[in-house]
Amino acid sequence: MSEIKVVPYIPDEDYDNPAMVVDFYEFTMANCLFLNGFKDTTLVFDMFFRKNPDNQGYSISAGQRKLTRFLLNYHFNEQDVHWLRTKGMSEEFCEYLRTYRWKGDMYALPEGTVCYPHVQMVRIECDLVGAILIETYLLQTMNFHSLIATKATRITGLNTHTPRSVMEFGTRRAQGESAGNDGAYAAVLGGCIGTANCLAEMKYGSEVKAVGTVAHSFIEFFPTEFDAFKAFADTYPDSVSLLLDTYNIMESGLPNLIKLDDYLIEKYPDDPNRRVKSARIDSGDLARGSKRLRKALDAAGKSYIKLVASNGLDEKKIANMELYEHAHFDSYGVGENLITSASDPVFGGVYKLVAVKRPDGSYQPKMKCSDSASKAIIPGKKMPWRLYDENGQAQCDLIAMDGEVIEAGKPVTMENIEACAKLLYLSGVMLDDKHSMKYFVQIAREITTSFYPLDTSAIPAEISDPDDLTKHLEREYQRQHPEHWFEDWRQRFTHEMQEFFEKKDLIEKAASSNQQKPLYQPTAHSKKAHSEKKRKEKGCLGVCLILTVLAALGILFLH
């Protein structure tokens, strides 16, 4: 009997190969398809998102630079192959991965481009192994970079055409080393003027500039606050920036700041650059402190000293200080609320199969269907276009089929698939938003009150769909009767609603009503494609937005 040697895998905490940033199911799928003879089949995947962070009107597409570097260096090594064997992957598949290099095509929006829901940020066309195994890394990279870059544009005021100087101070609050580095890069992409992260500048260059001065511990170390200020100024006379709130801003920090600047004037009388550049406050009433400091410094003839604010800031706090409290800050340091995008910490990008290349070179559209209109994907190999008017102003994005010719200056008829989605959903129950909402409210009130008596008289007028109403009733129930709250409230409410409408046969009525429209109402183009499919002829699905414009067009995607 021959001897079988089993070599266990030994974990290595220092090991790092980005190609192994993979959800395990991606390996199981790729291995199965490989063994079934599909290794050379080309797949097309779209990466897009469904909702803008914080429900704002735009997002920033970012992460393409890092993703490109990843794909160009994509490989597996002996350690990866050994581990995959221990996880049940086939020998043939493991040997294939040993020499595998990524050889697909990546189409992407230029990094830093404004983008919108459902429009592809990235399109991948590759053999099935390369298309499937990069999903996790691609989503992790694009989602995080886009999230932080988008948040940065709001904090820096770029979205409202009121730009302000913001430094990214969040490395110590970032969720890991890579988040600190990537977040610093994305923040600068979104308008920040620098970062506290030294490694970020080493990795990405002087455009991601490392900035900073002193902490409270530096001031506390010296016998007096002035001693600390003087030591720092003597060491860095060309870049003196001080921290004023270690002890008392107005009674200690401000007098010592003025004293130090006078000291520098006396020491370097002929060098106006060697003066105090700025002063930062990190606690207290920031807006009130800025006004008092500005007034005192101007009175002392030191209007050239700039003021910096930090301490739990975000775009709303900064805007409130500027608009309503008339704060006088020249720049801001923003930490955890930027590097984690605390107000909405997840960018919901997804990676979906949309087409499979046939042996004859044509593409078979693929689609994930869903009871929820927002979760259904647009099938087929597509190319987005951005349409501009005669003044060069972008008007909308058009999702066309790949190879479809869009000519500048000619009318373009587009179909808005969301305009056809007039039916509102609750666990499969369809309601017309104009004719059934009042009835829905009546039934929802009765069911909610059946759990426990509930005051439902004050339902906000702006609530116009079942999901919003459900959320409102859930909040009210929890607020009015916390002692009777139960975790599966929504599930129970949804179940009761569904049972009621099934009993009333409302689904069938909705389907037969002349006022109802199918979720995806076929256009002339899609009807033609459907008939051609039946005849087994080449066809495609056309999906776009309803709008007719005369436009000069710019292709968004770079190959």
Side-chain angles (χ1 to χ4, degrees), residues 9 83 103 130 183 234 237 272 303 326 337 360 378 418 465 468 476 486 523:
Y9 176 80
W83 181 82
K103 48 188 179 290
D234 287 339
S303 58
H326 308 292
N337 290 322
D360 64 1
I378 304 172
E418 290 194 1
D465 71 71
D468 287 345
E476 283 299 300
F486 46 95
T523 63

Side-chain angles (χ1 to χ4, degrees), residues 47 69 74 120 142 302 312 345 351 368 458 463 498 509 511:
M47 184 266 163
R69 289 169 57 86
Y74 191 82
Q120 309 102 289
M142 296 298 297
K302 301 186 183 300
Y351 184 74
K368 172 189 178 295
I463 290 182
Q498 185 175 8
K509 289 181 181 178

Side-chain angles (χ1 to χ4, degrees), residues 314-330:
D314 62 14
E315 66 271 33
K316 292 181 180 178
K317 291 180 181 179
I318 293 174
N320 286 339
M321 286 198 301
E322 293 175 342
L323 294 173
Y324 305 118
E325 301 181 80
H326 308 292
H328 297 290
F329 287 111
D330 299 285

Side-chain angles (χ1 to χ4, degrees), residues 86 258 320 424 441 475:
T86 70
I258 294 174
N320 286 339
L424 301 171
V441 171
R475 287 193 300 268

